[in-house]
Amino acid sequence: MAIANPLMNPRLIEGVKTVVFDNDGVLIDSYEANMVYYGTIRRELGLPPMTEAEKYYVHTRTHEEAVRHIVPADKLERAFQIGATMNQASLAPYFKRSEGIREFLSWLRSAGFGLAVNTSRGSSMDLVLKLTDLEGFFHPVITSCKVSKPKPHPEGLFRIMQEHGVRPDEVAYIGDSVVDQRAAQAAGVRFWAYRDQGLEADVHVENFWAIRAAMQRCYKGCAPAF
């Protein structure tokens, strides 16, 4: 198991040209926000609180998948109505930018790496980036609304590689769930697991300060030329 640190073997991270990020649990800590959102839907429908397994599921899947998983079929229409009328901005206090992520992104951008997002989140993604001051770093931002098949299908990663003009071995995907792991494996890109050593990954990232230091040492300040 390779844990990102300044003294790690540079061969494990060399050759990367594009870094792709999952959103929930990686760019931002949105766990509390998701629990409030889906918990509100359950409460409005008169359903009991989510189990731990249900909490994990809704935090890693698309909005539609999550709602269908925690709501009985006969209450789905009402559940989607509740979700659609909920003010996303009211969840702002529950969104927290991951420590060190903005500094890591700033260095990656200045060093010439391509940056993109591949997330299960849907139409709220633009608002989330705005609320956490992460607008402008990524292109493209692939959400579940922009693909025909969401993660773990590799469609999103394939689109990013096409737009960036890079090969799978030149891409590192940073994610925090088995859904991200499977998407990376299906696309043939490197998978860097964020704060979950139970995942199968090329590199395990405990914090963004450590992976930044490791990449600065490996790339000596700049990304490989495209």
Side-chain angles (χ1 to χ4, degrees):
M1 178 184 297
I3 305 221
N5 66 80
L7 301 180
M8 70 184 296
N9 186 339
R11 291 185 178 180
L12 295 172
I13 56 176
E14 65 185 8
V16 171
K17 294 183 177 180
T18 290
V19 182
V20 183
F21 294 82
D22 176 41
N23 179 60
D24 296 83
V26 178
L27 290 178
I28 64 168
D29 178 357
S30 59
Y31 184 82
E32 191 174 358
N34 284 336
M35 296 310 103
V36 170
Y37 178 83
Y38 291 108
T40 298
I41 290 176
R42 295 266 296 193
R43 186 174 62 254
E44 291 291 321
L45 293 173
L47 299 172
M50 291 182 288
T51 65
E52 291 303 311
E54 288 171 332
K55 290 177 181 180
Y56 177 81
Y57 188 94
V58 301
H59 191 55
T60 59
R61 301 303 179 105
T62 67
H63 175 258
E64 182 173 349
E65 289 172 330
V67 173
R68 290 184 181 279
H69 186 74
I70 63 170
V71 173
D74 62 339
K75 296 180 183 293
L76 280 175
E77 183 177 356
R78 176 59 183 150
F80 284 118
Q81 289 175 346
I82 294 170
T85 56
M86 203 178 303
N87 183 2
Q88 292 286 334
S90 68
L91 298 175
Y94 303 103
F95 288 118
K96 301 174 184 177
R97 191 171 67 212
S98 294
E99 184 178 354
I101 185 60
R102 203 173 194 286
E103 292 83 356
F104 182 42
L105 293 172
S106 296
W107 177 77
L108 288 171
R109 182 171 62 182
S110 66
F113 289 89
L115 301 174
V117 168
N118 186 42
T119 176
S120 296
R121 185 171 285 274
S123 58
S124 62
M125 188 62 206
D126 288 344
L127 176 62
V128 169
L129 290 177
K130 181 177 181 180
L131 291 173
T132 54
D133 194 25
L134 293 177
E135 287 182 299
F137 281 104
F138 311 104
H139 178 76
V141 176
I142 301 296
T143 69
S144 61
C145 299
K146 297 179 181 178
V147 291
S148 58
K149 296 179 179 179
K151 296 185 301 182
H153 193 278
E155 179 184 344
L157 289 169
F158 286 151
R159 286 181 54 182
I160 290 167
M161 285 188 278
Q162 183 177 19
E163 291 205 32
H164 283 225
V166 292
R167 303 188 308 265
D169 62 291
E170 296 172 328
V171 176
Y173 182 34
I174 304 180
D176 70 326
S177 72
V178 68
V179 174
D180 299 318
Q181 174 191 305
R182 290 172 180 168
Q185 291 170 340
V189 305
R190 310 182 199 198
F191 180 55
W192 294 357
Y194 183 65
R195 302 184 70 177
D196 189 340
Q197 294 187 17
L199 297 172
E200 297 176 14
D202 300 284
V203 174
H204 287 270
V205 178
E206 290 303 305
N207 62 75
F208 289 115
W209 303 111
I211 187 61
R212 180 179 125 176
M215 293 186 73
Q216 286 175 323
R217 178 172 177 266
C218 176
Y219 291 98
K220 295 181 172 53
C222 60
F226 278 80

